[in-house]
């Protein structure tokens, strides 16, 4: 009974805060004297006529964002794993290189990295905008991913290494069969959070004219002056990607807690 | 102190299989865990190593299969020297089984998976061959019904019996037991000691670090008493327990009985 009242109180508090925010937003837009034209937005998402279903620029942008994010996520995982293993390796050169990569990426803005990749490295390597965007994004998130994976690896009990070694397993066999399966399971929730960050960070790739969601939004705003409607819609579309990912992270966290 | 001649002349044992000479190990914090420690073990012999905590017993076992690196001395196991060669170290680890105080089963694998793993990866057996060996060993340690369980579903005594089976699956020439029963509840210590005594009877070469003097008396051939990383005294089980020569040994035995 007590818990029930408590829950109700929390819901009431939440609704009050939400209502307050909504009111502030309304007041803000009132004082702006902003001419809302929400009715024009659906056409930018999709059209449905005699020719059937046609995705609008926003949906097309969303699809590009999904593709960029998916490939970057995969690459970021590879970069992260390799960097984590190098940082924990016996090789001085390997540890040094991993450290330089990590510190460079973590201490400079992503936007700068994307621009450097596109304007300095891409011409040398013959990369197009999408590829250099994906590469910059995955190098960036991979640096953060490596720290997560490294934390997972060092959290595995020393006894696991010793048992594996005493059975004659090599270091790489021990990583593959014993340490990584346990470590990655442990860090899945923070890795899923990193995926959410990656989806949002992918918006910065618009700076090198990749026609992803944010770029399409910017084009619409520039052409039709529907600033707020467009950006709110873009935000909602990002939420469609990030909320499921966040829920996945939450679910993974719960499942792991139950197991241990 | 046994040497090549005494190993060969003792009807109960075979040739020398473990040779440790002048082992010295100093930890990073300056603690001298092993101080010019030497031990020779014959094939089929069961050597029980006892001593107060911090006397270097566990460190000695861990040095024998390269889990700790020695600062000085020489280790030869079945003719292979443990040195900086990775190949030699793996060869020795493959031939030397180790059982840990904390079991160290792989929690993400079933009992079957735990025991099959190294047979397939290191010995190159097929899944079927490995499973045959595994099931025979599980039967031997009384765990055949739990082949599909995960370690977390087993009691400490059961986990340790699985860990012993896992080490035996490699058909090791020497088994090292590092306080294998110290983490167990008193009522399950017996089941693990029973498995160890069976192994001793079958002629397995064993080096056992333990506080279980009953086991030492029943299954041991020789007792080694260590203190401050050095050997104080060693000898056959009966005379050792009944009439220890060294004063330090006498006090230690009085304290633990």
């Amino acid at each position: 009974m007590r818990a029930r009242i408590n829950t109700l109180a929390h819901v009431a508090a939440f609704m009050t805060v939400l209502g307050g925010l909504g009111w502030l937003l309304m007041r803000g837009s009132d004082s702006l004297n902003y001419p809302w034209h929400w009715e024009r937005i659906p056409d930018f998402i999709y059209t449905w006529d005699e020719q059937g279903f046609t995705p609008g620029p926003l949906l097309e942008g969303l699809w590009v964002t999904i593709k960029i994010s998916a490939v970057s996520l995969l690459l970021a995982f590879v970069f992260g794993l390799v960097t984590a293993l190098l940082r924990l390796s016996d090789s001085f050169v390997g540890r040094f290189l991993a450290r330089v990569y990590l510190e460079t990426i973590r201490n400079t803005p992503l936007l700068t990295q994307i621009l450097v990749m596109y304007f300095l490295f891409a011409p040398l390597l013959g990369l197009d905008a999408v590829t250099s965007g994906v590469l910059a994004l995955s190098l960036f998130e991979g640096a953060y991913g490596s720290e997560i994976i490294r934390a997972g690896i060092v959290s595995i009990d020393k006894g696991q290494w010793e048992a594996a070694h005493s059975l004659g397993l090599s270091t790489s066999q021990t990583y593959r069969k014993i340490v990584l399966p346990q470590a990655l399971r442990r860090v899945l929730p923070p890795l899923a959070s990193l995926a959410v960050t990656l989806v949002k960070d992918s918006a910065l790739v618009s700076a090198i004219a990749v026609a992803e969601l944010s770029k399409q939004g910017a084009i619409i705003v520039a052409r039709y002056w529907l600033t707020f409607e467009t950006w709110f819609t873009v935000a909602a579309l990002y939420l469609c990607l990030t909320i499921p990912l966040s829920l996945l992270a939450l679910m993974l966290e719960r499942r792991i807690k139950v197991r241990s | 102190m046994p040497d090549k001649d005494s190993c060969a002349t003792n009807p109960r044992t075979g040739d020398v299989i473990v040779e440790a000479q002048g082992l010295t190990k100093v930890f990073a914090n300056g603690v001298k865990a092993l101080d010019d420690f030497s031990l020779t073990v014959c094939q089929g012999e069961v050597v029980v190593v006892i001593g107060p905590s911090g006397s270097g017993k566990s460190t000695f076992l861990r040095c024998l299969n390269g889990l700790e690196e020695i600062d000085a001395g020489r280790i030869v196991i079945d003719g292979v020297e443990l040195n900086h060669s990775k190949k030699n170290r793996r060869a020795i680890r493959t031939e030397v089984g180790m059982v840990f105080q904390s079991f160290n089963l792989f929690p993400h694998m079933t009992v079957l998976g735990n025991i099959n793993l190294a047979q397939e990866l290191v010995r190159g057996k097929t899944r079927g061959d490995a499973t045959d060996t595994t099931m025979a060993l599980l039967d031997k340690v009384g765990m055949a019904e739990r082949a599909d369980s995960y370690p977390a579903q087993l009691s400490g005594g059961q986990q340790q019996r699985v860990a012993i089976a896992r080490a035996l699956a490699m058909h090791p020439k020497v088994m090292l037991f590092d306080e294998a029963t110290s983490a167990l509840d008193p009522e399950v210590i017996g089941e693990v000691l029973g498995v160890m005594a069976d192994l001793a009877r079958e002629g397995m070469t064993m080096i056992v670090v333990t506080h279980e003097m009953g086991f030492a008396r029943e299954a041991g051939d020789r007792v080694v008493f260590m203190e401050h990383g050095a050997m104080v005294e060693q000898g056959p089980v009966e005379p050792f327990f009944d009439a220890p020569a060294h004063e330090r040994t006498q006090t230690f035995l009085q304290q633990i009985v």
Side-chain angles (χ1 to χ4, degrees), chain A:
Chain A
M1 192 60 203
R2 183 97 178 254
R4 194 107 169 247
I5 293 172
N6 227 330
T7 315
L8 280 176
H10 281 305
V11 170
F14 178 73
M15 296 307 264
T16 313
V17 171
L18 208 65
L21 279 175
W23 182 76
L24 269 178
L25 219 69
M26 300 261 281
R27 280 293 305 271
S29 87
D30 276 355
S31 63
L32 260 179
N33 253 331
Y34 183 81
W36 293 95
H37 288 290
W38 279 109
E39 74 283 353
R40 302 185 55 190
I41 290 298
D43 280 356
F44 295 121
I45 302 176
Y46 69 91
T47 48
W48 181 261
D49 49 27
E50 312 82 57
Q51 294 153 25
F53 179 85
T54 319
L58 288 182
L59 217 51
E60 273 175 351
L62 180 70
W63 181 232
V64 174
T65 291
I66 291 175
K67 283 196 288 191
I68 288 177
S69 302
V71 178
S72 300
L73 196 62
L74 218 72
L75 274 178
F77 179 77
V78 174
F79 288 142
L81 185 60
V82 170
T83 308
L85 293 178
L86 279 177
R87 281 204 66 191
L88 294 167
S89 74
D90 292 332
S91 148
F92 175 76
V93 178
R95 285 203 309 266
F96 178 75
L97 284 178
R99 198 65 200 251
V100 167
Y101 158 65
L102 189 67
E103 297 302 339
T104 312
I105 295 288
R106 280 204 304 192
N107 292 300
T108 54
L110 173 57
L111 185 59
T112 314
Q113 293 166 24
I114 291 172
L115 294 174
V116 166
M117 178 66 75
Y118 184 57
F119 290 110
L120 291 183
F121 292 111
L124 291 175
L125 303 165
L127 306 175
D128 60 8
V130 174
T131 315
S132 30
V134 164
L135 207 56
L137 199 57
S138 41
L139 281 170
F140 180 78
E141 307 295 344
Y144 289 91
S146 82
E147 283 296 273
I148 295 174
I149 295 173
R150 190 174 72 101
I153 292 173
V154 299
S155 80
I156 299 300
D157 184 52
K158 217 177 80 202
Q160 294 287 304
W161 281 99
E162 294 183 346
H165 279 154
S166 77
L167 288 166
L169 268 67
S170 66
T171 299
S172 77
Q173 287 172 332
T174 307
Y175 263 126
R176 267 187 298 127
K177 299 287 180 176
I178 309 299
V179 174
L180 287 179
Q182 295 183 62
L184 292 179
R185 208 170 294 180
R186 225 173 257 190
V187 298
L188 265 182
L191 283 182
S193 300
L194 191 69
V196 174
T197 313
L198 186 146
V199 169
K200 291 183 295 168
D201 286 347
S202 74
L204 283 173
V205 176
S206 60
I208 52 173
V210 174
E212 45 70 73
L213 185 51
S214 293
K215 183 69 189 173
Q216 297 286 17
I219 292 172
I220 294 168
V221 169
R223 211 173 278 167
Y224 303 99
W225 293 94
L226 298 165
T227 318
F228 287 122
E229 297 90 329
T230 309
W231 286 124
F232 280 145
T233 310
V234 165
L237 289 172
Y238 274 111
L239 281 173
C240 291
L241 295 182
T242 52
I243 285 178
L245 278 173
S246 296
L247 288 176
L248 180 76
L250 205 70
M251 214 181 67
L252 290 170
E253 204 156 344
R254 286 225 180 108
R255 241 182 74 182
I256 284 165
K257 257 189 202 149
V258 169
R259 277 240 188 111
S260 56

Side-chain angles (χ1 to χ4, degrees), chain B residues 130-199:
Chain B
T131 303
D132 288 345
T133 309
T134 300
M135 290 317 293
L137 284 167
L138 281 178
D139 200 39
K140 183 179 163 140
V141 300
M143 292 291 296
E145 282 102 69
R146 306 307 298 269
D148 296 322
S149 302
Y150 282 88
Q153 299 166 316
L154 304 177
S155 73
Q158 291 173 323
Q159 289 193 48
Q160 194 61 299
R161 284 186 281 154
V162 171
I164 293 174
R166 181 175 68 177
L168 289 175
M170 299 298 285
H171 297 299
K173 295 184 172 128
V174 182
M175 282 285 284
L176 310 176
F177 291 86
D178 187 7
E179 303 209 21
T181 57
S182 298
L184 295 176
D185 291 331
E187 69 269 21
V188 298
I189 288 178
E191 67 192 46
V192 172
L193 289 179
V195 169
M196 290 165 65
D198 285 345
L199 268 183

Side-chain angles (χ1 to χ4, degrees), chain B residues 53-74:
Chain B
S53 64
S55 58
K57 312 178 297 275
S58 289
T59 306
F60 168 59
L61 281 197
R62 295 163 59 77
C63 286
L64 281 186
N65 68 353
L67 290 181
E68 301 282 356
E69 236 168 279
I70 46 174
D71 296 314
R74 199 173 117 89

